[in-house]
Amino acid sequence: MADADSQTVFNPSADRIARVYAQAILDAADAAGCRAEVIDEIGRFVRDVLPSVPRAAAVFASPRVSAEQKEAVVIRVMSGRLRPTTLHALCILARHDRLGIVAEVAAATRLLDDERAGRRQATFTTAMALASGEQERIVAEVAELVGSTLAPSFVVNPDIIGGLVVRIGDTVYDQSIATGLSRLAGNLHRRTIHEIQYGRDRLTSA
């Protein structure tokens, strides 16, 4: 994998730095023919390994621990548990003292993979947790409406009681209770205007 750090030295944004590393990781994974596996392994490293080894996470984030020491910890903890491409990616992050943003790198890697595959990131916010079957149904319906393949994630927010809010890129599709109330208010307004107009017509024809 190429040295990605030289492109991000002057960039203070962790997300943008993470995206550069993610690009390099995907390129290396594609060359090795194991993109999906590498994405999954990095995700599991962040999701499963780090929470179970808090001391390792603290070491990776500490400025007092040298890059060489961090790389040694990665090799000691993960050698034999990851594909060579994935282990190499983590070692590159360690060498450039970027393990503190490994979660951002994992997220950026999955995002870039979705972009390359033509999938659009979609966040579904619901008032309550949904069963997997219900999630799949909603995703399929929204994907058909927008005409795109979606990479969904679900968030629960009780404040939108009885509703659903979908965010795809910069566009928000709001089907929450607030929208329903706005529609109701609009219907009542139109009905009032109709009744006034009907009364005028009756007076005119009397």
Side-chain angles (χ1 to χ4, degrees):
M1 183 164 45
D3 183 350
D5 197 59
S6 61
Q7 302 179 50
T8 60
V9 170
F10 301 106
N11 189 341
S13 168
D15 288 339
R16 293 182 65 184
I17 293 173
R19 190 176 177 90
V20 174
Y21 280 99
Q23 177 75 53
I25 290 170
L26 285 186
D27 288 346
D30 283 343
C34 55
R35 184 201 295 190
E37 293 82 358
V38 169
I39 293 171
D40 181 63
E41 287 182 346
I42 292 178
R44 285 191 287 110
F45 176 77
V46 171
R47 184 178 63 253
D48 300 331
V49 176
L50 290 185
S52 65
V53 191
R55 187 174 180 182
V59 167
F60 294 154
S62 174
R64 299 180 180 179
V65 180
S66 70
E68 291 77 12
Q69 290 172 312
K70 293 177 182 179
E71 183 178 1
V73 171
V74 169
I75 294 173
R76 183 170 66 251
V77 173
M78 302 307 302
S79 185
R81 301 175 61 182
L82 300 173
R83 291 173 178 269
T85 303
T86 310
L87 183 61
H88 181 64
L90 293 177
C91 286
I92 289 292
L93 290 174
R95 290 172 197 168
H96 296 287
D97 206 13
R98 297 296 189 186
L99 281 173
I101 62 168
V102 66
E104 289 86 347
V105 172
T109 302
R110 190 167 295 279
L111 176 61
L112 280 174
D113 178 56
D114 287 334
E115 290 178 0
R116 289 185 179 186
R119 294 185 294 266
R120 298 173 66 187
Q121 292 282 323
T123 301
F124 293 75
T125 303
T126 59
M128 61 185 66
L130 303 178
S132 59
E134 186 69 8
Q135 290 182 352
E136 291 173 3
R137 182 186 67 79
I138 291 174
V139 171
E141 289 181 358
V142 173
E144 184 176 359
L145 285 172
V146 300
S148 298
T149 302
L150 303 179
S153 60
F154 281 82
V155 177
V156 176
N157 181 357
D159 291 340
I160 60 164
I161 298 173
L164 167 68
V165 175
V166 182
R167 183 182 186 92
I168 303 176
D170 294 327
T171 303
V172 176
Y173 301 87
D174 187 351
Q175 296 178 359
S176 68
I177 192 67
T179 302
L181 290 174
S182 296
R183 188 180 298 111
L184 175 60
N187 290 340
L188 289 174
H189 178 66
R190 285 191 294 274
R191 190 174 72 183
T192 300
I193 292 176
H194 174 74
E195 290 175 350
I196 292 172
Q197 184 62 51
Y198 178 72
R200 286 176 178 173
D201 291 343
R202 288 189 62 188
L203 288 172
T204 302
S205 61

